[in-house]
């Protein structure tokens, strides 16, 4: 036992399934963009997309540049609002941009990130999320590439966290409920 195993109630997506799907997603993305001398700009949204982005980017056959973006949530007047801590700014001007995020839940984070990239003059903005919780997007925003639709449970592992723990667990898993209490 390594101290994490005991906290996990069940594995939702194991590492083999994740790797297979990430492989397939890289193919889907490559088919949409095609080969181009200009390549694309990948914008991983930290910290949750860390593992997913690292695996996905290495499977993409086209030219890429990487600019990290960091978002965090805070309690605003209309509920939980995303705040952008840093990003590529004007470096995306005139470029084709692919956002890579861990999970699409309400869609607020993605909406905020897309707006920022458009404001800075990106030629096109597409998005890729590993997980999506169906029917929960309040913003109408949708992702262009989706890894898995999952049930509405809080998940950890493969970059996803609870209080910044469990990001290094290689599977996507559900924690024992008493840990949230
Ligand atoms: P929104 O609602 O903005 O949510 O689409 C996206 C962000 O919310 C966090 N999130 C989760 N994090 N397990 C996590 O570790 C989950 O089940 C979960 N659901 C939402 C995450 O930071 C994501 O980028």
């Amino acid at each position: 036992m390594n101290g994490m195993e005991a906290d996990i109630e069940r594995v939702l997506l194991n590492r083999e399934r994740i790797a297979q799907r990430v492989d397939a997603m890289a193919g889907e993305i490559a088919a949409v963009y095609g080969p181009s001398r200009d390549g694309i700009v990948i914008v991983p949204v930290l910290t949750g997309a860390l593992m997913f982005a690292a695996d996905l980017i290495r499977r993409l056959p086209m030219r890429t540049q990487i600019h990290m973006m960091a978002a965090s949530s805070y309690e605003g007047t209309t509920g939980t609002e995303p705040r952008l801590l840093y990003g590529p700014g004007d470096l995306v001007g005139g470029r084709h941009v692919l956002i890579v995020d861990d999970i699409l839940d309400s869609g607020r984070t993605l909406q905020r990130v897309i707006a920022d990239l458009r404001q800075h003059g990106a030629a096109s903005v597409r998005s890729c999320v590993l997980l999506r919780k169906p029917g929960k997007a309040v913003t109408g925003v949708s992702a262009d590439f989706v890894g898995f639709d999952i049930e509405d449970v809080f998940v950890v592992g493969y970059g996803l966290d609870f209080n910044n723990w469990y990001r290094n667990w290689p599977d996507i898993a559900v924690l024992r409920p008493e840990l949230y209490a």
Side-chain angles (χ1 to χ4, degrees):
M1 287 283 213
N2 56 24
M4 279 191 290
E5 213 164 339
D7 295 347
I8 282 161
E9 184 178 71
R10 68 192 160 101
V11 171
L12 201 66
L13 298 164
N14 67 30
R15 57 203 82 178
E16 290 82 16
R17 270 191 81 190
I18 297 169
Q20 267 179 12
R21 186 68 193 111
V22 173
D23 240 352
M25 290 180 87
E28 291 164 20
I29 292 165
V32 167
Y33 284 103
S36 122
R37 220 20 238 167
D38 295 341
I40 62 171
V41 176
I42 311 266
V43 176
V45 183
L46 295 175
T47 307
L50 183 66
M51 314 298 171
F52 175 42
D55 285 344
L56 181 73
I57 292 163
R58 282 177 293 172
R59 286 168 172 80
L60 290 176
M62 70 274 249
R63 288 163 62 82
T64 65
Q65 291 179 314
I66 303 169
H67 287 299
M68 299 295 190
M69 190 171 246
S72 75
S73 296
Y74 69 99
E75 283 309 312
T77 45
T78 57
T80 310
E81 303 286 342
R83 187 204 317 264
L84 297 187
L85 304 176
Y86 60 85
D90 292 340
L91 291 171
V92 298
R95 307 294 311 281
H96 294 288
V97 178
L98 178 67
I99 302 162
V100 178
D101 206 356
D102 54 356
I103 187 164
L104 177 60
D105 192 352
S106 72
R108 288 195 178 96
T109 306
L110 200 53
Q111 188 181 48
R112 183 74 190 80
V113 171
I114 291 171
D116 181 81
L117 296 167
R118 291 210 171 117
Q119 252 168 33
H120 285 98
S124 71
V125 181
R126 289 190 176 95
S127 59
C128 168
V129 296
L130 180 65
L131 306 175
R132 176 172 64 184
K133 291 185 179 173
K136 287 204 65 197
V138 294
T139 53
V141 74
S142 65
D144 298 279
F145 307 95
V146 178
F148 300 94
D149 278 315
I150 62 163
E151 56 198 278
D152 190 11
V153 285
F154 192 83
V155 289
V156 299
Y158 196 65
L160 293 137
D161 72 302
F162 177 58
N163 286 344
N164 213 11
W165 295 101
Y166 307 104
R167 292 194 197 274
N168 61 321
W169 186 253
D171 308 304
I172 291 174
V174 180
L175 291 177
R176 290 185 17 225
E178 59 267 33
L179 292 167
Y180 302 117

